[in-house]
Structure formats: structure tokens, C-alpha cells
């Protein structure tokens, strides 16, 4: 009997009405379900060492390099003032790099009690309980947030501590320990159920902040449908033949010990939802792997445990997955669930695949320069190069603004090289080299060093001061900061390969820090900033937030992977280049889905929020916010999503979207900008629609963003198709 027939039969049983399914693809047949012996009192085996996967991709991509940073940096070593909590991170994990920007980071920061978003659920792990929340929207004109409420609290009495004991790119496992109790919780992205597995047989005890208004047994013993006065319905499923009974106003208990409990929100708007969830309740996702091929084929594989076969696994896909998954077996009977990143859609099976469409991209722009444009640019680059200071002491002292300055210099050099101005090119190159040397040698005041606590390169000020350098020492914004350094290095590798080769190991440290494509590097974590489930990077580091993780500037994230791609190409590491190029394309597409309102998707956010703006300023794990961390001016919120202007911005700024939002928002934002530099950043976006009009709007600009120049603005406009 096909899965759709099973769903239909069960739905009719529980709803009392015939069910019609729209089958776009046939579902595999289900084998007979295994059930525990009727009188068994022993809980089934929970995970032991976990059918574990390593935090890596399956493709054998080589690391950038593997030397011990201490051999490169010498005495420039330090221990972060923010120490790893050995109470919150299992001892087996601290012998290798611990992530700093992962979706589950809140579990290991401060008290470890802030929420993580596993999608579609939010979860808090407390010392003696796991708290589960189904996302419900709080909609405002300037933000959309998921409201936290204790929908269910799974009590794990007898446990005195919890810690993360395993992780991979798609999951984290939290283990609870105590004198009389042990349990573990596999938190897996996209899981249809939240699961708690007891290593020690225990009577189940659940409570809710709401009132329980109904408990209905279904599908045999151990499973019940529970209705709450919040208007929600939940499926509670145990792996033992127990009866689930209401306890008081807000409690639920089992009549005997259980080995595991699974909780899932039931979409009451879909009559088949309960039946579909019942058929998918046995396979338990406990982890996952990712694979990225040279052809930009992404594969997410979910690892399962339990009685159910893995091809009956039910998971939830985000909007960018829904646009791209190939041969997906969608289970729309479950209904869609609201999240702060849009409605998720159920998909059957333990493997997802999609291919990113790689757009042409290199050091140069989309089209060749005309002779007329070359003549204009020769004048501009000569003027820009002549203003580059010889004294590096006048440059910004922090890694972010210095990075912007040196990347700007090398943009000038590349443009000068392309238009045949050898003198200006050489001048810009020599300036950039002289600026970089103190940072590479560690003779600048805010020198870079290797943090042997969290395994990364941080600024010396940031090592002890969490507020310094935008939280750099706590691993905030590393891809933004080092992306600029690596862009400059990539350009130098193209123009002065011998100079880079002499310093490649030192420069590699920065690429290894934020985008190491292999877990074979024991000194840096795998892809520190990138979230393979959400398809974009995370900028926030070792800071616990109630809204969990966040990223502000999509364009600077794109610049970071663009820089790494160019650097890998220019230094002859083609396998890394292809891998990073695929990541770059996914970052750009996800940015257009979740930050660009009305670009690749028009229904991600509620109309109340979406109708008055064209971008998200900061995307959190559980909130979309029209804001920045540095000011509320509209030009800041829009502009930080557009800079820096390099050829990679054509991946992000598409003609149709900009044409749509220019008369509605951008033109007014540009004209109302308080500063000329931000006005130029907004105006330059319009070049993808009308090159001549944009030239006219920026022709008299005298004050540029500190990462931009007159020659770069002109080049951006002139090379667009």
C-alpha cells in the first residue's frame, strides 16, 4: 500500500471523512510498523555513542593549508578572555576546533539557556528540562519576530547538567546527565518532531504554559493528540506501550517508563496532517552530512535512528529549498508551518539535492570597457592612486576599516591594470603591500594573533575586550573583516604572485579562519560562518541573544566568499575555488530570498512588514528587522546590503528587483541621505537598471565610502551589461 493510501486510510479513520490527495509524485510503500511487546516495561535502547558523523562535508576538498599557526605567528598567541564552558561542551569536543558562529551557539554561551532555532521549532535546554516552542508571529511595521512561549516542557528530573556532546553541519546533540537520570536530545535542522531520548527508563512528565483541554489516544498505546487552550494541537508519541494521561490543568504524564518522546505541532487546517505525522513518527533524525560537488550540486543527508526506515523521514524545507530541491517528495498533507523565515514545507526522505546555477564571475566586470570608458578611467585611477597615503600610520587601526582600505587600494590597482595605466597600478600595489606588511608581521598596534581557546585569528584588542573591533575577539563579523584582506591578497596574487607566495601561509590563516572547506585542518573549524541549512552566513559570534544568531550585511558576506574564490583561483587551488564558488552562489541566492523583499520570493514575510520596505536590515534566527547595529537611517539599512561594489554584486543586485524598488523606495532614500558617501552607495544600485542615469547622479560626488573610489564607481557602472 502506498504512503498516500496509508495517509488517506488513517486520515479517514481519525477525521471520519474521505480524503483526496493531490499526488504529484508517488510515495514509497511503508513496511509493517514494529511495535513493542504488549507487556514490555523495558524502554527501548536510546542512542549510545550516537551513529555519529563528523562536522564536515563529504567531498574530499583539501584545506587551504595545514601548518600550525604557532609556527607562522611565533609569539603572537593568546587565550581568549571568554573561555569555553566545559560544563556546556562535552570534553570530547574540546580537543578539536569548537564552532563560534553555529546556529546552536546559544547552547554553549553564558548559562546555555537561551533559545536555538532548529526550524520550525525553537528550543531551550535547561539543566532539568527541554522547553519546546512552536513559532508564532509578532508582526510590526519594522520587524517580524517569533514569539517565545513554553508550549511544552519535557522534565528530565534527576539531571543536574546538560552539555553539547556532538555536532555536525545540520545538528547538535545535547546530553543530560545526573545521578539517577541520563538523556539526550538530537536537535536537527528542519525536523518535524522534537525528540528527547532517555538512556535511563523514566516516566514521562510534560507541562505547558497553556491549559490542556483534551487528550485523545490514537494509533495504539503510547501516542496521543493533545489540545491546548492556545488553539494548538500537538502529537505526543512515545516508543513504549504506555498511556498518556492529563495531570492537573497543564500537565501530561505516562503510565509507565518510556525510552523516547517525540512532540510535533499538528496543523489543524489540514485534515490529513495528523495521519501524515503518525506515519512519520518512527525514524528519528539524529544528524546529517553535507556534500558539495564541483558542479555546485548540494546534497544534504539526514542520519536517522529508530524503528522507521530513513526514507520515511519527514523534514521541513525553507523557502530557498522549496525553490530548488530536485526530485523532492513533498508531503503537503502536513500543511505549512510559519517561521520567521517564511512558511516551511514538509518533504519526505533522508536526502535533499539541488544544484546552484553558477553565473559568470571573475576579477573583471560583466562586459569589456569601451575605449571611451578606458580613457575616463585612466584619469580617475591616476587621481585615486595618488591619494593613497604612503604612511600606513594614518590608516584605520582596526581590522574592519583597514581591510576596507587595503581592498579599495587593490580595486584601484586592478582597474588601473585593466585600462593600461601601469604607473597607477604599480603605485596602488606598492601602497597595499606596504600597508599589509605590519598586519602580516604583527608590528601594527592592534596586531592579529592566534586564539588557542576557540581556534581562530583575532585582533589583540579583541582578545580581551569584547566590545573592541565590533566584537572581533568574540568572532563577530570575521568573514566581513577578513574578506577584505583576502580580496586584497587575491588581487596581489594576480598582479604580484611572487610577493604573495612568500607570505601565503600567513595570508592563508585568514582564509582558514572564516571559510575552511575541510575538517582536515585541526587548527580552525569547518566553514566557521556558513549555515548549510539556511543557505547563508552567520555574523554573530560568542554573544548570547534571545533572538539567537544574526547577520546584517549580505553584500559583505558575498564579498568574503568572492574574495576567497578569487584567492583560491589566483593561487592555483582549483578544488577550493570551485567549492567556495558554489557557497558564494548559494549565499547570494539566499540573500535575495530572505533579505530582498519581492526579489526571488514575495511571500516570505507578512504584508504589514513587507509593504513599507525593500530589504531586511538584520536577519536573526527568529526575527527579521528593518534596522542596523550602527544607526536607523534608511540609507544605512539599504546601503549596508549593497557595499562594496565589486563584480560580485551582480549576483545580488538584479535589474528587475532594483527597477521595482527604485521608484518606491531607493530614489527617495538616496535623495534623503544625510551624507554624500551613503547617497552614492544607494545610487550605484540603480546602475543595473539605467547606466547613464546613474552616471549623471554620481558624476559630481566628492566624498566616497571608505571602501569605494571614483574609479571603482565608474568601473561598476561601465562594465554592467
Amino acid at each position: 500500500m502506498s504512503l498516500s493510501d496509508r495517509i488517506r486510510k488513517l486520515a479517514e479513520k481519525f477525521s471520519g471523512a474521505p480524503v483526496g490527495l493531490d499526488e504529484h509524485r508517488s510515495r514509497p510503500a511503508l513496511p509493517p510498523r514494529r511495535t513493542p511487546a504488549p507487556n514490555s516495561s523495558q524502554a527501548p535502547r536510546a542512542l549510545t555513542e550516537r551513529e555519529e558523523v563528523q562536522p564536515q562535508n563529504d567531498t574530499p576538498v583539501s584545506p587551504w593549508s595545514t601548518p600550525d599557526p604557532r609556527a607562522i605567528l611565533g609569539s603572537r598567541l593568546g587565550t581568549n578572555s571568554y573561555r569555553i564552558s566545559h560544563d556546556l561542551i562535552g570534553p570530547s569536543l574540546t580537543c578539536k576546533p569548537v564552532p563560534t558562529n553555529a546556529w546552536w551557539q546559544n547552547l554553549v554561551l553564558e548559562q546555555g539557556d537561551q533559545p536555538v532555532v532548529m526550524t520550525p521549532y525553537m528550543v531551550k535546554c535547561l539543566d532539568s528540562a527541554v522547553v519546546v516552542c512552536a513559532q508564532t508571529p509578532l508582526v510590526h511595521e519594522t520587524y517580524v519576530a517569533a514569539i517565545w512561549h513554553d508550549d511544552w516542557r519535557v522534565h528530565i528530573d534527576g539531571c543536574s547538567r546538560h552539555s553539547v556532546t556532538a555536532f555536525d553541519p545540520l545538528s547538535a546533540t545535547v546530553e543530560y546527565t545526573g545521578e539517577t537520570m541520563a538523556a539526550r536530545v538530537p536537535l536537527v535542522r528542519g525536523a518535524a518532531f522534537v525528540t528527547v531520548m532517555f538512556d535511563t527508563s523514566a516516566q514521562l512528565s510534560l507541562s505547558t504554559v497553556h491549559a490542556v483541554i483534551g487528550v485523545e489516544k490514537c494509533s495504539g498505546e503510547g501516542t496521543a493528540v493533545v489540545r491546548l487552550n492556545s488553539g494548538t494541537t500537538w502529537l505526543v508519541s512515545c516508543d513504549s506501550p504506555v498511556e498518556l494521561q492529563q495531570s492537573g490543568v497543564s500537565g501530561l504524564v505516562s503510565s509507565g517508563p518510556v525510552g523516547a518522546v517525540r512532540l510535533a505541532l499538528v496543523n489543524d487546517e489540514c485534515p490529513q496532517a495528523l495521519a501524515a505525522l503518525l506515519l512519520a513518527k518512527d525514524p528519528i533524525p539524529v544528524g546529517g552530512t553535507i556534500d558539495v560537488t564541483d558542479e555546485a550540486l548540494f546534497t544534504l543527508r539526514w542520519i536517522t535512528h529508530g524503528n522507521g526506515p530513513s526514507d520515511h523521514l519527514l523534514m521541513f524545507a525553507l523557502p530557498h529549498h522549496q525553490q530548488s530541491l530536485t526530485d523532492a517528495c513533498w508531503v503537503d498533507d502536513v500543511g505549512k508551518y510559519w517561521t520567521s523565515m517564511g512558511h516551511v514545507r514538509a518533504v519526505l526522505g533522508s536526502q535533499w539535492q539541488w544544484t546552484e546555477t553558477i553565473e559568470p564571475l571573475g576579477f573583471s566586470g560583466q562586459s569589456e570597457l569601451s575605449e571611451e570608458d578606458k580613457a575616463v578611467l585612466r584619469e580617475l585611477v591616476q587621481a585615486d592612486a595618488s591619494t593613497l597615503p604612503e604612511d600606513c600610520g594614518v590608516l584605520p587601526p582596526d581590522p574592519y576599516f583597514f581591510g576596507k582600505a587595503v581592498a579599495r587600494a587593490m580595486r584601484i590597482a586592478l582597474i588601473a591594470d585593466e585600462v593600461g595605466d601601469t604607473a597607477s597600478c604599480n603605485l596602488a600595489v606598492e601602497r597595499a603591500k606596504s600597508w599589509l606588511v605590519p598586519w602580516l608581521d604583527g608590528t601594527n598596534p592592534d596586531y592579529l594573533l592566534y586564539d588557542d581557546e576557540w581556534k581562530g585569528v583575532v585582533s589583540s584588542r579583541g582578545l580581551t575586550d569584547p566590545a573592541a573591533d565590533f566584537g572581533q575577539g568574540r568572532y563577530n563579523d570575521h568573514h566581513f573583516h577578513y574578506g577584505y584582506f583576502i580580496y586584497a591578497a587575491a588581487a596581489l596574487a594576480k598582479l604580484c604572485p611572487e610577493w604573495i607566495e612568500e607570505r601565503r601561509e600567513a595570508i592563508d590563516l585568514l582564509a582558514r579562519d572564516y571559510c575552511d572547506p575541510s575538517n582536515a585542518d585541526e587548527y580552525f573549524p569547518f566553514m566557521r560562518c556558513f549555515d548549510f541549512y539556511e543557505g547563508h552566513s552567520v555574523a554573530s559570534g560568542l554573544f548570547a541573544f534571545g533572538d539567537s544568531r544574526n547577520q546584517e550585511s549580505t553584500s559583505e558576506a558575498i564579498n568574503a566568499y568572492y574574495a576567497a574564490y578569487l584567492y583560491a583561483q589566483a593561487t592555483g587551488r582549483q578544488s577550493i575555488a570551485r567549492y567556495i564558488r558554489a557557497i558564494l552562489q548559494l549565499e547570494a541566492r539566499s540573500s535575495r530570498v530572505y533579505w530582498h523583499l519581492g526579489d526571488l520570493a514575495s511571500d516570505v514575510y507578512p504584508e504589514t512588514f513587507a509593504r513599507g520596505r525593500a530589504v531586511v536590515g538584520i536577519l536573526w534566527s527568529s526575527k527579521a528587522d528593518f534596522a542596523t547595529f550602527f544607526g536607523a537611517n534608511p540609507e544605512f539599512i539599504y546601503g549596508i546590503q549593497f557595499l562594496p561594489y565589486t563584480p560580485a554584486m551582480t549576483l545580488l543586485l538584479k535589474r528587475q528587483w532594483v527597477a521595482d524598488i527604485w521608484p518606491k523606495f531607493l530614489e527617495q532614500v538616496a535623495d534623503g541621505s544625510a551624507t554624500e558617501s551613503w547617497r552614492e552607495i544607494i545610487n550605484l544600485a540603480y546602475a543595473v537598471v539605467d547606466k547613464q542615469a546613474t552616471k549623471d547622479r554620481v558624476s559630481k560626488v566628492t566624498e566616497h565610502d571608505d571602501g569605494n573610489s571614483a574609479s571603482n564607481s565608474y568601473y561598476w557602472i561601465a562594465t554592467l551589461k
Side-chain angles (χ1 to χ4, degrees):
M1 183 182 294
S2 70
L3 176 58
S4 56
D5 289 334
R6 294 284 298 272
I7 292 174
R8 182 182 294 109
K9 185 176 180 180
L10 279 175
E12 290 174 359
K13 177 179 178 181
F14 293 116
S15 70
V19 176
L21 299 180
D22 180 15
E23 284 200 65
H24 299 286
R25 179 169 179 244
S26 61
R27 272 75 163 179
L30 279 173
R33 179 178 294 134
R34 290 180 287 172
T35 55
N39 297 319
S40 172
S41 60
Q42 183 176 359
R45 178 186 72 87
L47 279 177
T48 54
E49 287 301 311
R50 168 177 170 175
E51 289 77 349
E52 188 173 351
V53 293
Q54 294 298 318
Q56 65 182 58
N57 57 304
D58 292 343
T59 306
V61 180
S62 300
W64 292 96
S65 53
T66 57
D68 187 334
R70 290 166 287 199
I72 301 168
L73 299 176
S75 61
R76 283 183 284 152
L77 306 170
T79 300
N80 206 298
S81 61
Y82 190 79
R83 308 302 294 271
I84 291 174
S85 170
H86 294 277
D87 291 332
L88 297 174
I89 300 179
S92 65
L93 299 184
T94 56
C95 61
K96 54 189 176 183
V98 176
T100 55
N101 299 64
W103 65 273
W104 50 267
Q105 206 71 44
N106 270 355
L107 296 172
V108 298
L109 300 177
E110 307 307 330
Q111 303 304 310
D113 56 358
Q114 291 299 306
V116 296
V117 180
M118 54 182 280
T119 306
Y121 306 105
M122 301 189 292
V123 174
K124 288 182 182 179
C125 290
L126 312 179
D127 280 342
S128 59
V130 177
V131 190
V132 180
C133 171
Q135 295 192 47
T136 54
L138 174 63
V139 181
H140 187 270
E141 289 184 352
T142 60
Y143 64 83
V144 179
I147 304 171
W148 177 268
H149 34 73
D150 291 10
D151 284 327
W152 287 107
R153 184 176 290 245
V154 183
H155 298 276
I156 312 177
D157 297 330
C159 288
S160 57
R161 63 185 298 266
H162 67 279
S163 61
V164 174
T165 57
F167 64 87
D168 58 52
L170 300 174
S171 77
T173 298
V174 179
E175 187 171 302
Y176 284 75
T177 56
E179 293 184 4
T180 60
M181 175 62 66
R184 61 187 64 194
V185 184
L187 301 174
V188 183
R189 307 305 298 277
F193 294 79
V194 178
T195 304
V196 178
M197 310 174 76
F198 299 96
D199 291 349
T200 306
S201 297
Q203 182 182 29
L204 180 65
S205 175
L206 304 178
S207 64
T208 173
V209 71
H210 314 292
V212 175
I213 59 175
V215 179
E216 304 169 21
K217 184 170 69 173
C218 67
S219 188
E221 294 182 294
T223 304
V225 174
V226 183
R227 305 188 188 282
L228 306 179
N229 70 343
S230 61
T232 59
T233 301
W234 291 77
L235 175 62
V236 181
S237 178
C238 301
D239 62 349
S240 302
V242 296
E243 183 179 352
L244 296 173
Q245 305 165 334
Q246 184 170 348
S247 174
V249 174
S250 301
L252 191 71
V253 296
S254 64
S255 61
V258 302
V261 62
R262 309 198 72 199
L263 304 168
L265 180 69
V266 181
N267 189 332
D268 286 329
E269 295 180 359
C270 299
Q272 307 98 326
L274 175 60
L277 288 169
L278 284 168
L279 289 174
K281 70 181 180 61
D282 288 337
I284 301 172
V286 296
T289 63
I290 60 97
D291 179 45
V292 184
T293 70
D294 288 349
E295 294 74 32
L297 172 65
F298 285 75
T299 302
L300 275 57
R301 297 185 181 91
W302 313 100
I303 296 175
T304 62
H305 168 80
N307 293 334
S310 61
D311 59 354
H312 300 156
L313 181 67
L314 195 67
M315 304 294 287
F316 281 105
L318 285 164
H320 78 283
H321 300 131
Q322 297 169 36
Q323 295 175 350
S324 59
L325 290 185
T326 55
D327 297 322
C329 189
W330 300 107
V331 186
D332 291 328
D333 318 306
V334 175
K336 292 189 175 182
Y337 287 47
W338 185 88
T339 78
S340 62
M341 293 180 67
H343 285 89
V344 292
R345 187 182 180 193
V347 60
L348 191 71
S350 59
Q351 178 173 292
W352 296 1
Q353 285 190 319
W354 74 90
T355 300
E356 292 296 323
T357 301
I358 300 300
E359 301 175 49
L361 186 65
F363 279 99
S364 300
Q366 286 183 321
S367 60
E368 292 187 5
L369 292 164
S370 68
E371 291 304 317
E372 180 183 354
D373 286 331
K374 285 182 180 179
V376 173
L377 280 168
R378 279 191 284 270
E379 293 185 14
L380 292 176
V381 293
Q382 183 178 14
D384 286 339
S386 67
T387 63
L388 298 174
E390 182 176 4
D391 179 11
C392 60
V394 303
L395 297 172
D398 66 282
Y400 175 68
F401 285 110
F402 171 81
K404 292 184 71 174
V406 73
R408 174 182 179 271
M410 287 311 301
R411 280 295 298 146
I412 294 169
L414 286 172
I415 295 168
D417 179 65
E418 192 168 334
V419 301
D421 184 347
T422 303
S424 295
C425 176
N426 290 341
L427 176 59
V429 164
E430 291 306 311
R431 291 288 188 264
K433 290 193 296 188
S434 67
W435 297 354
L436 278 169
V437 166
W439 284 86
L440 298 177
D441 293 347
T443 56
N444 62 306
D446 192 14
Y447 59 89
L448 301 178
L449 51 77
Y450 182 70
D451 171 20
D452 59 11
E453 181 76 2
W454 292 93
K455 306 296 188 288
V457 175
V458 300
S459 68
S460 50
R461 289 178 57 213
L463 190 72
T464 56
D465 181 358
D469 303 335
F470 305 99
Q472 221 265 2
R474 296 282 183 92
Y475 294 88
N476 273 8
D477 302 347
H478 272 214
H479 56 324
F480 300 163
H481 297 191
Y482 296 149
Y484 286 112
F485 280 76
I486 294 299
Y487 180 84
L492 284 166
K494 180 178 188 292
L495 299 174
C496 305
E498 299 85 1
W499 191 87
I500 285 293
E501 188 59 33
E502 293 175 0
R503 297 159 178 83
R504 196 168 89 169
E505 286 188 344
I507 295 167
D508 279 358
L509 291 177
L510 305 184
R512 290 164 71 184
D513 178 90
Y514 76 86
C515 65
D516 201 323
S518 171
N519 80 322
D521 189 343
E522 63 183 289
Y523 300 104
F524 295 91
F526 167 65
M527 295 300 292
R528 183 189 301 279
C529 299
F530 197 74
D531 187 314
F532 282 89
Y533 178 75
E534 294 189 359
H536 63 79
S537 294
V538 172
S540 54
L542 303 177
F543 294 92
F545 294 106
D547 295 314
S548 201
R549 309 284 82 203
N550 69 70
Q551 175 163 270
E552 184 179 61
S553 179
T554 56
S555 50
E556 288 182 300
I558 286 167
N559 179 67
Y561 298 113
Y562 172 55
Y565 163 67
L566 294 179
Y567 180 60
Q569 274 202 325
T571 54
R573 289 173 278 195
Q574 297 306 318
S575 65
I576 295 179
R578 288 188 291 269
Y579 185 90
I580 298 299
R581 183 64 189 84
I583 299 296
L584 168 59
Q585 196 71 47
L586 178 55
E587 179 90 40
R589 185 167 68 87
S590 294
S591 298
R592 293 177 61 200
V593 172
Y594 301 114
W595 275 264
H596 287 191
L597 280 64
D599 186 355
L600 280 179
S602 60
D603 59 351
V604 171
Y605 303 109
E607 176 65 16
T608 299
F609 172 74
R611 68 188 175 208
R613 56 206 40 83
V615 297
V616 170
I618 306 170
L619 185 67
W620 300 76
S621 301
S622 59
K623 182 170 67 173
D625 204 355
F626 187 68
T628 73
F629 288 112
F630 58 90
N633 291 23
E635 64 268 27
F636 299 167
I637 301 171
Y638 283 92
I640 200 64
Q641 304 302 333
F642 299 161
L643 59 82
Y645 279 96
T646 69
M649 286 306 102
T650 59
L651 303 180
L652 189 63
L653 296 174
K654 299 299 183 181
R655 180 178 288 115
Q656 186 59 58
W657 180 67
V658 177
D660 288 344
I661 68 172
W662 179 259
K664 296 177 184 176
F665 305 109
L666 283 188
E667 185 174 18
Q668 181 179 354
V669 170
D671 292 344
S673 175
T675 65
E676 192 175 44
S677 57
W678 281 106
R679 184 179 306 116
E680 182 188 34
I681 293 297
I682 305 301
N683 279 324
L684 287 172
Y686 190 54
V688 301
V689 178
D690 190 328
K691 293 166 62 171
Q692 186 57 52
T694 305
K695 282 183 181 179
D696 294 341
R697 290 181 71 90
V698 303
S699 61
K700 297 181 180 180
V701 170
T702 58
E703 178 192 349
H704 303 280
D705 175 74
D706 43 20
N708 198 30
S709 64
S711 56
N712 187 56
S713 292
Y714 191 95
Y715 182 93
W716 160 256
I717 299 169
T719 56
L720 289 170
K721 288 184 177 178

